[in-house]
Amino acid sequence: MTATEADSPQSEQQPVNVQQTLLDGLGGPMGMLYTTLPVVVFVTATAFLPLTPSIGVALAVALALTGFRVLRGEKLSSALGGVLAIAAAGGVAAWTGSAKDFFLIGIWASLAGAVVVLVSMLAGRPLTGVIWNLLHGGENAWRQNRSALRAHYLASLAVLLVFAGRFVVKEWLYLADSTGWLAFAKIAMGTPLTALAALVVLWAFRRTTKVLKP
């Protein structure tokens, strides 16, 4: 390769396609199916089976979905995430002997997420802005630009509200021993709320890119 070819624009690192990254993370309707079907199967099974077989049925469904995703061309490492999540949730429930504890990891993960985002905002480094900066080389003065900083405070607030809302609702249902409603809350407050927050984050990313990298 000549020096001219090495310095050509085509050889430069391509910018991150943030919109596509967010869409891939959401997974679309199929992604929602992958995450919710094992949960629905688990809750339904607990109405007819003891806890341990119910966990086994949910895990079997998660494994079947993983195989289906691999056959569709997805990476095994990505497809295994759903199995690991169900296995971890089922392990907690089996250890405590309570079906509602199947949702315990998700409840506390929501609290942890809310705390992390809140701390980042209080520290003057809203999390979405930190992520945008890392995706764009890590050396951008985004905090010195009032428009960009304001956008990321709003985006981080949207993420915070999703995490906090999930924790409050699910913790209330958990304390009320409402396993069925916990499953419903997981589905209703999962992909739909994530998609809404992602729209705000995407807006903040685009606004920041526009003002700092015209």
Side-chain angles (χ1 to χ4, degrees):
M1 179 181 292
T2 65
T4 302
E5 291 174 332
D7 295 335
S8 65
Q10 287 80 6
S11 65
E12 295 179 0
Q13 184 178 4
Q14 295 299 313
V16 177
N17 190 331
V18 177
Q19 180 175 358
Q20 189 59 48
T21 300
L22 288 174
L23 291 175
D24 291 342
L26 291 174
M30 292 303 295
M32 187 173 182
L33 175 66
Y34 299 147
T35 58
T36 60
L37 186 56
V39 176
V40 173
V41 168
F42 169 76
V43 174
T44 303
T46 57
F48 304 97
L49 300 172
L51 179 59
T52 300
S54 298
I55 296 172
V57 172
L59 189 56
V61 171
L63 285 169
L65 290 173
T66 297
F68 175 71
R69 294 173 69 179
V70 172
L71 290 175
R72 291 180 69 242
E74 295 187 38
K75 294 182 179 179
L76 180 61
S77 57
S78 300
L80 278 177
V83 176
L84 296 177
I86 296 298
V92 173
W95 181 53
T96 63
S98 174
K100 70 176 184 178
D101 287 341
F102 185 86
F103 303 93
L104 201 56
I105 293 178
I107 293 173
W108 290 105
S110 295
L111 177 61
V115 170
V116 169
V117 177
L118 178 60
V119 169
S120 74
M121 294 173 68
L122 294 177
R125 291 173 171 81
L127 185 60
T128 61
V130 173
I131 295 173
W132 178 90
N133 189 37
L134 290 174
L135 290 174
H136 291 81
E139 298 180 355
N140 300 281
W142 63 277
R143 294 176 59 229
Q144 281 67 53
N145 186 287
R146 299 180 67 178
S147 178
L149 186 61
R150 187 184 306 114
H152 284 293
Y153 267 113
L154 290 174
S156 295
L157 178 60
V159 176
L160 173 62
L161 291 176
V162 169
F163 278 131
R166 286 173 178 168
F167 173 74
V168 171
V169 172
K170 292 180 182 180
E171 179 68 8
W172 175 64
L173 293 172
Y174 177 85
L175 295 176
D177 293 322
S178 300
T179 304
W181 282 106
L182 275 169
F184 177 81
K186 180 177 177 61
I187 296 169
M189 305 184 76
T191 303
L193 288 186
T194 301
L196 289 176
L199 289 175
V200 184
V201 173
L202 181 59
W203 165 79
F205 276 29
R206 286 177 170 174
R207 185 176 183 85
T208 307
T209 302
K210 181 178 180 180
V211 298
L212 294 182
K213 294 182 175 295

